[in-house]
Structures are given as C-alpha cells and as structure tokens.
Amino acid sequence: MSYNIVTKEELSQLSCLNKEIKGISERIAGLKYKIKTLKYNFTKKECEEMEKEIENLVDFLFIRQKKCIDEQKKLETFIEKIPYPDLRNIFALRYINGLCWQQVAFSIGEYDESYVRKKHNAYLKKLSLK
C-alpha cells in the first residue's frame, strides 16, 4: 500500500487542528455578525470601510482554516489507510478522538496502556524502515 507516511508528532497535532478549525469557524461567525451590527453604531462611510477590513480578515481566516483542513485530511487519510482494523482503531481513538493511551486500551478491551502504545510505535517504526 502506497501513501504518505506521517510522524507521531504530526499525528499528535490532529486534535489541535480540530480545535483550531472550530475556533476559526467561531471567529468567522463572530466577524460576520459584527458586519451586520455595524450600521447601528457608525456612519455609512465608516461601515463600508470597516466592513471591507472585516471581510479581508474573514478571507485570511478562511485561507488559514483551509490549510488546517488540508492537514487534517492528510492525517485522517493516513489513519484510514492503515490496513489493519485493530491498528486503525488504535490510531483513530488516540488521534481523532484525542484519548490518552489508557483510554485507548480500555476502549479496545485491553487493560494495559503499554500494549496499545507498543503496537502503535511498532507500526510507525515498521513504516519508517520501508
């Protein structure tokens, strides 16, 4: 199976990317709301100037959000293409769901977090040797 190999460090950014994407969406919604309320506090000319500045900021945030989504897609595609269901589940629980190793172990019916962590690390090591 041929696909881009990612590092543990890249994978660990997945939960942060999810939070960042959500935060950017909230900021964009807040800015769009601000545009609607400008007319109540400013002159027409001031509103037009501020609206343009806010729209530029929204455009900037959309670009940043797209970069985050592209990175998220890359990481989730890596996980989705893991050919072993048990490992795919371990990676998804850890990086997509953001669970700690002990929670991952309990989720798959194991009691020792080192079991899932070792399987995870062995798989990444195996990929890096190819």
Side-chain angles (χ1 to χ4, degrees):
M1 177 167 295
S2 174
Y3 55 97
N4 291 335
I5 298 171
V6 299
T7 65
K8 193 184 320 184
E9 290 76 23
E10 288 174 302
L11 286 165
S12 68
Q13 293 302 306
L14 193 50
S15 63
C16 293
L17 284 168
N18 290 331
K19 290 174 188 170
E20 187 172 3
I21 291 165
K22 182 180 178 191
I24 292 171
S25 292
E26 290 168 356
R27 285 184 63 200
I28 289 170
L31 289 168
K32 287 183 175 187
Y33 177 77
K34 191 175 279 186
I35 288 173
K36 291 179 182 178
T37 62
L38 287 174
K39 63 184 173 188
Y40 301 112
N41 300 311
F42 300 97
T43 67
K44 184 176 179 178
K45 184 176 178 175
E46 290 172 327
C47 285
E48 288 171 355
E49 290 173 11
M50 291 177 73
E51 186 174 327
K52 185 175 179 178
E53 290 300 317
I54 292 171
E55 286 173 354
N56 287 339
L57 181 55
V58 167
D59 290 343
F60 170 78
L61 290 171
F62 271 128
I63 291 167
R64 191 165 135 215
Q65 188 176 46
K66 175 150 181 10
K67 288 178 184 176
C68 291
I69 291 169
D70 289 345
E71 182 67 14
Q72 178 188 35
K73 181 180 176 187
K74 172 186 147 188
L75 296 170
E76 290 198 23
T77 299
F78 171 82
I79 292 170
E80 183 60 34
K81 290 186 176 184
I82 294 173
Y84 311 102
D86 59 333
L87 273 169
R88 193 170 46 248
N89 193 27
I90 289 169
F91 276 74
L93 290 168
R94 175 70 175 164
Y95 298 112
I96 296 172
N97 296 20
L99 302 182
C100 71
W101 286 119
Q102 190 63 62
Q103 292 170 316
V104 172
F106 287 157
S107 294
I108 66 164
E110 293 291 332
Y111 298 98
D112 184 5
E113 60 85 21
S114 68
Y115 171 78
V116 290
R117 189 173 30 82
K118 287 176 183 176
K119 281 190 77 143
H120 163 277
N121 291 344
Y123 182 71
L124 287 178
K125 185 175 182 178
K126 177 182 162 187
L127 287 180
S128 69
L129 295 175
K130 287 185 177 181

